[in-house]
Amino acid sequence: MASTKPPAGQFNMLYFAAASTYAKKQSEHLKAPLPVSELFDTLEQLYPGIKEKVLSSCMLTVNLGYVDLDDAAGIKIKEGDEVAIIPPVSSG
Amino acid sequence: MPDDLAATYLDEENIHVELTDSLLDINAILNRVKSPKAGAIVLFAGTTRDTFDSKPVKQLQYSSYPPLALNTLLTIAKEIKNKHSLTAIAMVHRLGVVPISEESILIAVSSPHRQAAWKAGEEALEACKERAEIWKLEEFDGPDGGVWRANRDGQSGVELAQRRAE
């Protein structure tokens, strides 16, 4: 993984496939805490257009567990967490 | 492709799942599932094709989120092994550049009788294609550049050339 341990007050944001192409990077550190419900807007500010073109078809994991975006009220991303954008998969 | 990944795997009793950037070894995976209790082994080898929608594909490249993909592959392997009472199951996916006509995935299952093995092999592959956190980038000759494929809809995903232009 190209990611490194995030410094204090930040979390690790990972991008894969179409998300990494759009963000032009595989990972970065973002400021924590951050409510899950605000994550996509935060990414939209960093990468205008990413919400509609990429994120709308993606899933989200926090510390290797999937988070239901329709039921994320109150869930906060904490310092040191590993968050990942998971585009539609294509193994085989 | 993570830079520090050579091969990474998870093992449980009679289950092996692995991601590797090396050439896949058919004999090795057969040996993993071979057993005196099993009268049948079914092996699926997925190889990379040189065209998509009649467009020539120059090369394919797979990337992954290894810790999550391994968890998912292990979950799939357990489900399929229990459902079909398999003797053993092994699933290995290659990452990085896979030259055309080389194997990108091997799935081997063994069971006392062939019927369960045939079914289990197919179900394991379909579940992997649907759920494993692995992504295929098809690179074409010419101006189209490359696209991230999505198994879900069989359509091409994000076109790299288009993205770069934005």
Side-chain angles (χ1 to χ4, degrees):
Chain A
M1 199 81 35
S3 59
T4 50
K5 198 172 151 48
Q10 300 190 38
F11 67 92
N12 219 353
M13 184 70 231
L14 306 182
Y15 303 100
F16 295 100
S20 72
T21 300
Y22 202 95
K24 298 187 175 69
K25 63 186 68 160
Q26 291 181 305
S27 70
E28 67 186 318
H29 300 141
L30 298 177
K31 204 162 174 277
L34 180 71
V36 165
S37 58
E38 290 173 24
L39 177 67
F40 281 15
D41 288 332
T42 302
L43 297 179
E44 176 70 19
Q45 282 179 1
L46 292 169
Y47 311 105
I50 195 171
K51 239 169 117 169
E52 188 204 327
K53 295 211 173 69
V54 179
L55 301 181
S56 56
S57 62
C58 290
M59 295 197 279
L60 183 76
T61 62
V62 176
N63 299 330
L64 300 180
Y66 281 95
V67 172
D68 183 351
L69 288 167
D70 296 325
D71 193 22
I75 301 176
K76 271 206 165 91
I77 298 165
K78 303 182 303 295
E79 168 182 317
D81 280 355
E82 181 172 283
V83 180
I85 300 294
I86 310 291
V89 298
S90 48
S91 72
Chain B
M1 179 72 187
D3 346 72
D4 58 353
L5 182 91
T8 173
Y9 64 92
L10 292 176
D11 277 332
E12 284 198 9
E13 201 185 351
N14 298 319
I15 296 178
H16 176 84
V17 297
E18 179 178 335
L19 301 170
T20 177
D21 58 8
S22 307
L23 206 66
L24 301 185
D25 183 339
I26 286 173
N27 281 320
I29 197 170
L30 289 178
N31 285 331
R32 283 191 185 280
V33 300
K34 218 169 251 186
S35 159
K37 292 187 181 61
I41 293 177
V42 166
L43 168 74
F44 175 82
T47 58
T48 49
R49 255 194 321 252
D50 67 356
T51 52
F52 184 84
D53 279 352
S54 73
K55 275 197 288 189
V57 173
K58 191 170 64 178
Q59 69 174 23
L60 287 144
Q61 195 169 337
Y62 291 88
S63 63
S64 180
Y65 185 8
L68 187 58
L70 284 175
N71 285 349
T72 300
L73 289 174
L74 185 64
T75 302
I76 291 169
K78 280 189 202 166
E79 285 170 8
I80 303 283
K81 181 171 175 281
N82 290 340
K83 181 178 172 190
H84 295 283
S85 303
L86 298 177
T87 308
I89 178 168
M91 306 171 77
V92 182
H93 204 292
R94 187 165 166 190
L95 301 178
V97 172
V98 180
I100 299 299
S101 82
E102 288 187 9
E103 288 80 21
S104 53
I105 184 170
L106 297 178
I107 294 177
V109 300
S110 60
S111 78
H113 304 289
R114 68 183 179 280
Q115 199 172 30
W118 280 122
K119 280 188 189 158
E122 180 172 15
E123 283 177 28
L125 175 70
E126 294 306 320
C128 176
K129 287 181 84 99
E130 189 188 323
R131 288 155 58 189
E133 290 83 359
I134 296 167
W135 297 275
K136 171 162 59 184
L137 178 67
E138 289 171 340
E139 292 179 54
F140 300 104
D141 279 320
D144 279 354
V147 293
W148 291 104
R149 190 65 52 203
N151 285 344
R152 194 170 60 190
D153 48 20
Q155 291 169 2
S156 57
V158 174
E159 299 206 5
L160 292 186
Q162 190 184 331
R163 288 287 173 240
R164 289 196 191 103
E166 280 167 6

